[in-house]
Amino acid sequence: MRSDPADYELVAPGSLTAVVSLLADRPGEWLPIAGGTDVMVRYAAGTLPARKLVSLWNLPELRRIDVLDDAISIGAGCTYSDLREHEIVAREFPLLASAARWTGGIANQNRGTLGGNIVNASPAADSLPALLVYEAELILVSTRGERRLQYVEFHTGYKTTLLAADELIRSICLARRFAGYSSYSRKVGARNAQAISKVCIAALGRIAGGVVEDLRIAAGSVAPVPMRLGETESVVKGNAIDAALVSRARRAAVGEIRPIDDIRSTAAYRSAVLGNLVAEFLLGLGADGHSE
Ligand SMILES: Cc1cc2nc3c(=O)[nH]c(=O)nc-3n(C[C@H](O)[C@H](O)[C@H](O)COP(=O)(O)OP(=O)(O)OC[C@H]3O[C@@H](n4cnc5c(N)ncnc54)[C@H](O)[C@@H]3O)c2cc1C
């Protein structure tokens, strides 16, 4: 059943300080809304429990990308279009730029924010494997001050997070240390645009002296939360890429994920596809390494 607008209150205090004060006054009563591309789906379906919404849209403190010497700080209110169009994001963090390009359609990319994707906590969220691979750090803010948290710790289970009721994500910090890595990402869905992933993957690797010196692989839609494939990484690291290693990596990847059957796909399909994607990434990485 659709919701009745008369049942809802929406305020837009216009500054980050004012929003966190409101959240602190009555923790849990006000639901932040940024682009609204997740919140409004629940509103339209009549399943949004919150009745009081506080807008984060276009807060200047959340809508900026700061490029420092050793890191980039992305405001949580930056949209996918902001990310796609940013030169340093495109050049140094291509996995995030490609996730931004294939999230929803253009209208969605103009409204949907990175902070919203993180807090909405869908296992199928497209930008989250990239954040795992780049080992992102989250900066959380409340009237109690700021705290920093590794993104990998943030999702504690299906749709659960470490965000306190009076806190916001202010920014997402990525270290600028991935020059020289080969990157690989794929989204497998029912079609190329406007489809939630059946499986998505983001990966980085670097070959030195003929062996895999560093490797990072993360996947979405294969477990209750987006996950790093740590066992697969361990199988591969320190070895030269050949057919036998690719087979072992494929088996390790399929062994460590926990996919389910749901309306979009089956566990068996997700396992088979993820194995294929890991193999494709490693074969490409091996070919890149040989051409160095
Ligand atoms: C048509 C359509 C297609 C879509 N396609 C994709 C897709 O391909 N891939 C994909 O990953 N997602 C997709 N989505 C989901 C959605 O667009 C993303 O998850 C988006 O990033 C949500 O951002 P938002 O700003 O719109 O979040 P909102 O809807 O405003 O908020 C979502 C949640 O995050 C919280 N929140 C937002 N910002 C903050 C903050 N700074 N601090 C604390 N809490 C915050 C809100 O309280 C709410 O709980 C799609 C949605 C639609 C409607």
Side-chain angles (χ1 to χ4, degrees):
M1 198 182 70
R2 288 184 68 86
S3 304
D4 181 350
D7 293 336
Y8 292 83
E9 184 181 352
L10 171 68
V11 297
S15 80
L16 186 60
T17 311
V19 174
V20 292
S21 296
L22 192 67
L23 295 180
D25 278 350
R26 284 181 239 139
E29 194 169 319
W30 291 91
L31 179 73
I33 175 169
T37 59
D38 282 314
V39 169
M40 292 310 287
V41 171
R42 298 177 68 198
Y43 168 84
T47 59
L48 185 64
R51 289 290 182 267
K52 292 175 177 236
L53 305 178
V54 55
S55 176
L56 309 181
W57 181 246
N58 251 345
L59 287 185
E61 302 92 328
L62 301 185
R63 191 87 192 260
R64 50 188 289 172
I65 299 180
D66 293 317
V67 180
L68 313 172
D69 284 348
D70 57 351
I72 180 168
S73 165
I74 301 171
C78 287
T79 64
Y80 295 109
S81 299
D82 295 336
L83 296 174
R84 263 190 12 230
E85 287 160 13
H86 196 274
E87 194 193 325
I88 301 289
V89 173
R91 193 168 62 228
E92 297 185 25
F93 303 99
L95 299 173
L96 189 56
S98 57
R101 258 195 319 278
W102 61 45
T103 294
I106 296 295
N108 197 73
Q109 291 166 16
N110 286 339
R111 286 293 298 196
T113 65
L114 186 56
N117 204 225
I118 297 170
V119 177
N120 187 54
S122 162
D126 282 310
S127 60
L128 305 185
L131 298 188
L132 284 173
V133 162
Y134 291 131
E135 294 180 349
E137 186 179 41
L138 303 182
I139 318 301
L140 309 180
V141 64
S142 70
T143 52
R144 291 170 284 122
E146 277 189 4
R147 66 176 175 127
R148 302 174 87 92
L149 193 65
Q150 292 301 314
Y151 162 64
V152 68
E153 297 166 16
F154 184 72
H155 289 128
T156 50
Y158 177 71
K159 292 265 181 186
T160 56
T161 76
L162 288 180
L163 191 75
D166 64 345
E167 267 180 330
L168 293 175
I169 300 183
R170 183 172 65 77
S171 53
I172 298 98
C173 217
L174 306 176
R176 299 177 69 189
R177 59 184 161 95
F178 298 104
Y181 279 74
S182 298
S183 63
Y184 171 91
S185 57
R186 290 285 182 279
K187 168 174 179 156
V188 178
R191 49 182 189 251
N192 283 339
Q194 294 287 28
I196 304 296
S197 293
K198 294 173 193 261
V199 177
C200 57
I201 185 172
L204 282 179
R206 192 174 59 199
I207 304 250
V211 300
V212 179
E213 186 192 54
D214 193 13
L215 187 82
R216 293 132 185 268
I217 310 176
S221 256
V222 294
V225 293
M227 64 180 285
R228 203 68 192 253
L229 304 186
E231 289 168 28
T232 312
E233 293 175 7
S234 302
V235 162
V236 174
K237 264 195 264 184
N239 293 303
I241 295 177
D242 59 18
L245 185 72
V246 171
S247 294
R248 281 171 53 213
R250 183 197 287 265
R251 279 198 302 278
V254 170
E256 68 177 309
I257 60 175
R258 284 177 287 145
I260 57 166
D261 294 342
D262 65 10
I263 50 162
R264 279 191 294 280
S265 192
T266 63
Y269 179 81
R270 289 181 157 119
S271 294
V273 168
L274 183 81
N276 290 344
L277 297 177
V278 167
E280 184 176 71
F281 162 54
L282 290 177
L283 291 169
L285 180 63
D288 287 353
H290 287 307
S291 65
E292 272 175 1

